[in-house]
Amino acid sequence: MSDNQNSGKERKYYTAGEGKPPIFVQAIIDNKRMSAVDFFHITDAYLDWDKAGNDAAVLEPLIIFLSKWGDELIFAFDDMMAELLYSLDTKKIARDIYKDADFSGDDFLYTRCVALVNSKRFYNDVVKGRRKMKANLGFEAILYVPGLAWARLHDRNSKDYPHVTEFCYETMSNVEGWSTQEGQGEINDGEH
């Protein structure tokens, strides 16, 4: 009996070529799931920080990339973004940022977005408490990328975006993260 028969799964092979998505993107599209590693690879590669100060220009290469390869990639990106933001939605991280001061849920969400555009290492350092984010920083614009990419792909209004993520990233949606627990685990290579 071959390994394929033992596992019950058919092994898939992806090939590179003109007009085809990169191999890792083919796997995301096929699985309809993106890993955190893939998410950070994409944001590292497709955010244009030479245009810092103009969020739309910073995000434009990412929007182009996602819209080029279709709904499955856009939805997988949106799902992973929501999951990562949800994991940062903890009392401990909020306390590290705001100390005992009052804060708005929107401000905390936009501050959490900063961790998504600064690399997997930055994100993990925030989750583990090795790095403290600053209350006066935010990158709300990343939240609109999936809708904008979908709208561009379909020549529609981004308000018509049809996908709903499994995780809600709004502040205090992570009930467990706001209980007495001190947070979640870091993202490792190959983990979601």
Side-chain angles (χ1 to χ4, degrees):
M1 197 176 253
S2 74
D3 287 338
N4 289 344
Q5 291 170 332
N6 284 335
S7 70
K9 287 180 135 182
E10 182 179 322
R11 184 175 188 111
K12 301 207 178 190
Y13 295 94
Y14 304 103
T15 58
E18 190 174 329
K20 293 179 112 178
I23 290 173
F24 82 99
V25 172
Q26 291 177 45
I28 293 168
I29 291 168
D30 188 50
N31 294 319
K32 295 180 175 47
R33 178 96 175 121
M34 179 180 293
S35 71
V37 172
D38 289 334
F39 179 91
F40 287 111
H41 172 73
I42 289 169
T43 56
D44 288 348
Y46 293 98
L47 295 176
D48 185 356
W49 291 112
D50 291 338
K51 307 268 176 33
N54 180 344
D55 293 350
V58 169
L59 293 168
E60 182 62 16
L62 177 59
I63 292 166
I64 290 169
F65 176 76
L66 293 173
S67 65
K68 181 176 183 177
W69 303 117
D71 287 351
E72 289 83 6
L73 182 64
I74 295 167
F75 298 161
F77 181 89
D78 195 11
D79 290 339
M80 183 48 60
M81 179 173 65
E83 186 174 340
L84 291 168
L85 286 169
Y86 179 88
S87 292
L88 291 171
D89 182 27
T90 69
K91 184 191 302 185
K92 179 186 182 322
I93 292 173
R95 199 174 333 141
D96 287 346
I97 295 169
Y98 302 103
K99 310 303 178 227
D100 289 324
D102 288 335
F103 63 93
S104 83
D106 285 345
D107 285 344
F108 183 42
L109 170 60
Y110 306 153
T111 299
R112 286 182 281 140
C113 290
V114 170
L116 298 188
V117 297
N118 275 292
S119 80
K120 180 174 74 100
R121 180 181 211 167
F122 184 97
Y123 177 91
N124 284 338
D125 285 350
V126 170
V127 169
K128 288 299 197 179
R130 295 185 294 249
R131 180 183 301 258
K132 309 290 187 229
M133 291 191 295
K134 296 180 178 152
N136 60 343
L137 296 177
F139 201 74
E140 174 187 5
I142 191 77
L143 299 174
Y144 306 109
V145 164
L148 292 169
W150 179 87
R152 183 166 299 168
L153 174 65
H154 295 283
D155 195 24
R156 303 265 307 268
N157 188 310
S158 63
K159 292 178 183 176
D160 296 331
Y161 182 65
H163 185 69
V164 177
T165 61
E166 176 185 348
F167 290 90
C168 177
Y169 53 67
E170 295 296 335
T171 298
M172 295 188 176
S173 294
N174 182 349
V175 175
E176 187 176 322
W178 284 90
S179 70
T180 57
Q181 180 183 345
E182 288 299 316
Q184 310 290 315
E186 67 182 298
I187 302 299
N188 296 310
D189 290 340
E191 288 188 6
H192 301 306

